[in-house]
Amino acid sequence: MFRPIAGAALAIATAWSSAAFAQQTLTIAISGEIETLDPPFSQFQRSNEVNYNVLDQFFRYGWADTGKGYALADTAKVEGSAFESWTWSGDNKVLTLKMRKDAKFTASGKPVTADDVLYWVERARGTKAGTDWNVNTAHIENVKAIDASTVEITFSQASPWFFALFRDQSQAPIEAAVAKEHHTADDPWAAKWLSKNSPGSGEYSVAEWQPGVEMRLAANPSYWDGKAFFDNVVLKTVPSSANRALLLKNGEVDIARDLSNDEINLLRDAPGVKIVSVPTRNQMLFGFNTTQAPFDNAKVRQALAWAVPYDDIVAGLFAGAGHASKGPIPVEGQGHDSALWTVSTNIDKAKQLLAEAGHPNGFAFTLDIDDGNPTAQQIAVVLKDAFSKAGVDMTINVQPASVFAEGLGKLSHQAWMRDLLWYVDDAGYTGELFFKTKAVANWMGYSNPKLDETITKLGVAVDPAERKALAADYQKILIEDMPTIAIVDMPFEIAMRDNIEGYVQLPDNLLWYWPLKRAQ
Amino acid sequence: MDSTRHWIKFLAKRLGGLALSLWIVSLITFTVTRLIGNPVYLLLGPRYTEDQFQAAVQRLGLDRPIWDQYLTYLGNVLTGDLGVSRYTQTPVLEDLLHRAPATLELSTLALLLGVAWAVPAGIAAARNPRGWFAWFADAIARIGVSLPGFWLSLLLVFVFFAQLQWLPAPLGRIDEAYRDLPVVTGWMTIDTLLAGNLAAFGSALAHLVMPVVALAITTCPSIFQITRARTEEIMASDYIRSARAFGMPDRTIRRYMLLNMAAPVLTMIAMTYGFLISGTVLVEVVFTWPGLGLYAVNAMSHSDYEPVQGVVLFTTAFYLFLYMAADIVNGVIDPRARASS
């Protein structure tokens, strides 16, 4: 008599607890393994996303609901995260920062201190990897601890993009004492240990990791801004994108990442599924090698810009989401001015410019694309057809990712196409990285002293009116010289179950798990 | 005495061939992976200084001449060090040992299923080549050989998971609830039985059904075809006809037939097994099977040289070892094979 009742009670309790686990667990299908948990060595979206969620960045952006089913991070509104407050010196060259008093490391429960920040800077410089770039680019000269909860940063010059750089996934304290325990003679910065372990203070921490299968993140109960809604976030590796879409449709996962445009379109009307579509600053760029004929002639570059069917690409490939690009600053970017964009789709104008450039019968060239970029491949097919109408014969050459990346670095492509996400919403930063003479990502070999001067000024100007005027000059020069054609400002589209709410679009297209909730 | 000398010579030749093949494969893989671009550009992304670039080149040893890099690699391989993944920082050997059981379990069960069907079906089809069964088995083999494995896998997922919901989602080797079971052999079917957990065993089997069937159907038709062709050939041979004419019992004739058929069929089984170990890549991708194939695909997409080299070397060694084992068995069964080699 008693045994069946006890059995039934146990069954009900088990079913209830498993349903509760499912309710409080966010399951995300991802396309591949998490490469590393060590931010300086992460150049990949999946790793960056995990790092963003398990570390508490120094700063974060505020956000506001758009009324369109998602909230948008406001790049003009910087909030403290690991740092709570700060003050600038009169000349904008010394920044005094206060640590957040209730920020604690997840595993040890110890407070985050100024020493942890100093260790972060030392490690950035010592590893000479990604975070070192940020320290240098922010013009940081010196960092010192005033006391256990106060840090002072001295800059060699004013640094308008400091906050934008120090809110990204890699800019976050880790527990110095724990990391130092794993320093060895062969591995002086514990790169091996930190690739698999993350002693951070973020909204989540890594609870389980089975490489190739899944990673489970557990919510940090003592996170300074409150515990996340989801107790667990499970990242399931599902390499087949068709399967990721199928699992979402069947309700096996809550969110499916990295789906193709076609799969997203197929899911738009699926019951129980919603597509969050957000315009971004992710531009598809068509770059020219300006050191070689025929692209050493600006008129040739302009001619091809006039042949691009901007609106057709947005309508045909992105179902009308996103924006037809209007110049080198994305439409959603700070300082963008559409009035400066004088180009539209006009084949006759393209032919006229080609004739003026000495190519009345057109010419032939090769466009190189990375084989891991299906969207670029789709756009290239449309461009090939469009350019042929102007008499230009474009051969599309799809290359392995490493060959393509090396070609960019060595300036060996005749022309290339890839997407670039301007996650630092600042023309000066973009120019410093991309358009300045001999800039590290100046894959065009482009040089214009007037633009260099504008970029240098943008690097120190803090007055909004001055920055706006400089951004306008920047756009005018680049539209005139056209070292790259921005084809489309692509939307970020993410497929999820329709009961997932609270999505916040970050400038780097990373998914932030903390604000997500499941509707009852 | 002569026989022992023959065997020693035979084995020495085979082992020498195996070592030479592995060395050639290591050389080719090392050279080819270095032709697919300098990994530093991909590793650093678009933001780096010249100093950082040179530091990464030095860290990866790419500043040294390629022959020097190869000699270091070869020396390390000989001591069992296959290098470290540049992205995960994990030793490749550790990754291979962790991943290999998943691929071995999948391939072995697919082979067993394939052989269990292909060998009896091949013999039955040969004995009555104009019967309905021969026609049916031949049709299955033709369909299997012409279907791409990944396509058949997607079809099975669509029918048995998405539509009928008879089988679990294509998400790895076992349900989440059983993932904490202790790992002994790395084979889920064995480890769940060792743990005495029948529900977990059932889950492991259910996860195996679709990938095993997809692999068995697409890779084993060659075993069927060679079994059938060889059986037909033997049945039409003079010695079998003479045996029948002399009134030898059927059992004896069947034994002669099987012995004569065994050598080419065994060789084909060994070749199929070797192919399965390296050929599960796309099926592993569809079923999220955390084996060697998925590992290699991930490494390739990142131009991570060492894991790619490690997987190629491992699968080549496995293939060559199987081929050698088949040769030895053939030598035991058929002295002519030993003598001719």
Side-chain angles (χ1 to χ4, degrees), chain B residues 121-155:
Chain B
I123 294 170
R127 288 171 78 97
N128 187 5
R130 290 190 185 151
W132 69 268
F133 182 79
W135 178 88
F136 170 74
D138 206 39
I140 296 274
R142 279 171 201 276
I143 291 170
V145 86
S146 55
L147 276 181
F150 76 94
W151 186 85
L152 180 61
S153 303
L154 286 173
L155 190 71

Side-chain angles (χ1 to χ4, degrees), chain A residues 86-340:
Chain A
W86 54 90
T87 48
W88 281 101
S89 65
D91 61 356
N92 286 316
K93 286 189 178 173
V94 180
L95 181 63
T96 308
L97 301 126
K98 282 281 186 194
M99 305 301 304
R100 188 174 289 282
K101 286 190 189 72
D102 48 353
K104 291 185 173 66
F105 287 111
T106 317
S108 68
K110 290 183 180 164
V112 181
T113 67
D115 282 345
D116 298 308
V117 178
L118 292 193
Y119 175 72
W120 181 91
V121 177
E122 282 166 19
R123 190 165 188 269
R125 288 192 165 140
T127 53
K128 288 189 176 175
T131 41
D132 189 31
W133 161 268
N134 284 5
V135 172
N136 292 331
T137 310
H139 310 307
I140 290 177
E141 203 170 60
N142 188 36
V143 182
K144 66 179 181 187
I146 304 294
D147 57 44
S149 62
T150 312
V151 175
E152 185 184 276
I153 302 179
T154 310
F155 298 85
S156 58
Q157 59 185 74
S159 181
W161 51 71
F162 166 74
F163 290 112
L165 288 172
F166 275 64
R167 49 79 36 206
D168 89 12
Q169 74 287 334
S170 59
Q171 316 297 109
I174 56 171
E175 194 167 355
V178 175
K180 281 178 184 171
E181 284 171 17
H182 299 275
H183 286 198
T184 64
D186 290 345
D187 186 8
W189 293 104
K192 197 175 169 192
W193 187 79
L194 286 167
S195 71
K196 295 274 185 287
N197 299 277
S198 186
S201 55
E203 301 90 316
Y204 282 89
S205 62
V206 179
E208 282 175 51
W209 187 3
Q210 297 180 58
V213 181
E214 66 180 38
M215 175 183 274
R216 184 171 69 81
L217 307 179
N220 176 0
S222 55
Y223 184 61
W224 65 265
D225 204 11
K227 183 175 161 289
F229 173 87
F230 286 108
D231 293 339
N232 296 283
V233 174
V234 177
L235 303 166
K236 282 184 187 291
T237 306
V238 183
S240 156
S241 65
N243 277 354
R244 290 196 295 279
L246 188 66
L247 292 167
L248 177 69
K249 208 173 157 187
N250 280 29
E252 294 278 334
V253 300
D254 295 304
I255 297 175
R257 303 298 311 270
D258 307 325
L259 300 180
S260 68
N261 289 343
D262 292 344
E263 283 152 352
I264 290 275
N265 288 335
L266 282 171
L267 285 171
R268 280 186 208 282
D269 298 323
V273 175
K274 68 177 176 186
I275 307 291
V276 176
S277 180
V278 191
T280 69
R281 289 179 290 278
N282 190 18
Q283 289 191 311
M284 185 59 78
L285 292 182
F286 190 106
F288 300 101
N289 187 335
T290 63
T291 65
Q292 294 174 5
F295 297 128
D296 54 351
N297 185 336
K299 281 201 171 165
V300 174
R301 305 193 294 263
Q302 285 165 358
L304 293 193
W306 282 89
V308 173
Y310 301 95
D311 294 330
D312 292 351
I313 288 171
V314 173
L317 297 180
F318 298 97
H323 299 292
S325 297
K326 293 187 186 305
I329 298 182
V331 175
E332 301 282 332
Q334 290 187 38
H336 172 81
D337 185 352
S338 291
L340 300 171

Side-chain angles (χ1 to χ4, degrees), chain B residues 23 65 141 318:
Chain B
W23 173 68
F318 191 83

Side-chain angles (χ1 to χ4, degrees), chain A residues 33 35-36 43-44 128-129 132-133 195-196 214 236-239 243 402-403 406 409-410 429 433 440, chain B residues 36-38 41 43-44 46-48 51-52 87-90 99 171 176 179 286 288 294 298 302-303:
Chain A
E33 290 189 35
E35 293 87 356
T36 176
Q43 292 295 334
F44 301 98
K128 288 189 176 175
D132 189 31
W133 161 268
S195 71
K196 295 274 185 287
E214 66 180 38
K236 282 184 187 291
T237 306
V238 183
N243 277 354
S402 54
V403 176
E406 185 176 1
K410 290 186 171 171
Y429 175 81
L433 176 69
V440 64
Chain B
I36 55 176
N38 183 340
Y41 292 97
L43 198 64
L44 294 179
R47 288 170 287 271
Y48 57 84
D51 219 21
Q52 290 163 356
Y87 292 88
T88 65
Q89 300 282 327
T90 315
R99 305 283 188 132
L171 282 174
E176 220 167 293
R179 289 207 180 132
V286 173
T288 320
L294 209 50
N298 262 315
H302 290 122
S303 297

Side-chain angles (χ1 to χ4, degrees), chain A residues 21 207-210 213-214 216, chain B residues 174-184 188 191-192 195 197 200:
Chain A
F21 179 83
E208 282 175 51
W209 187 3
Q210 297 180 58
V213 181
E214 66 180 38
R216 184 171 69 81
Chain B
I174 198 162
D175 282 343
E176 220 167 293
Y178 309 116
R179 289 207 180 132
D180 291 338
L181 288 178
V183 177
V184 183
M188 284 291 174
D191 288 355
T192 49
N197 191 331

Side-chain angles (χ1 to χ4, degrees), chain A residues 340-411:
Chain A
L340 300 171
W341 178 246
T342 49
V343 178
S344 59
T345 310
N346 186 333
I347 297 295
D348 291 335
K349 174 81 175 174
K351 284 181 177 169
Q352 180 205 324
L353 284 165
L354 283 175
E356 286 173 22
H359 296 283
N361 301 317
F363 61 91
F365 76 99
T366 300
L367 171 75
D368 294 329
I369 309 178
D370 169 357
D371 64 359
N373 194 336
T375 308
Q377 291 173 38
Q378 283 179 318
I379 293 174
V381 173
V382 177
L383 293 180
K384 182 180 171 65
D385 180 54
F387 293 164
S388 72
K389 289 176 189 160
V392 175
D393 179 18
M394 180 176 86
T395 301
I396 301 168
N397 180 33
V398 181
Q399 300 180 316
S402 54
V403 176
F404 181 75
E406 185 176 1
L408 291 176
K410 290 186 171 171
L411 202 62

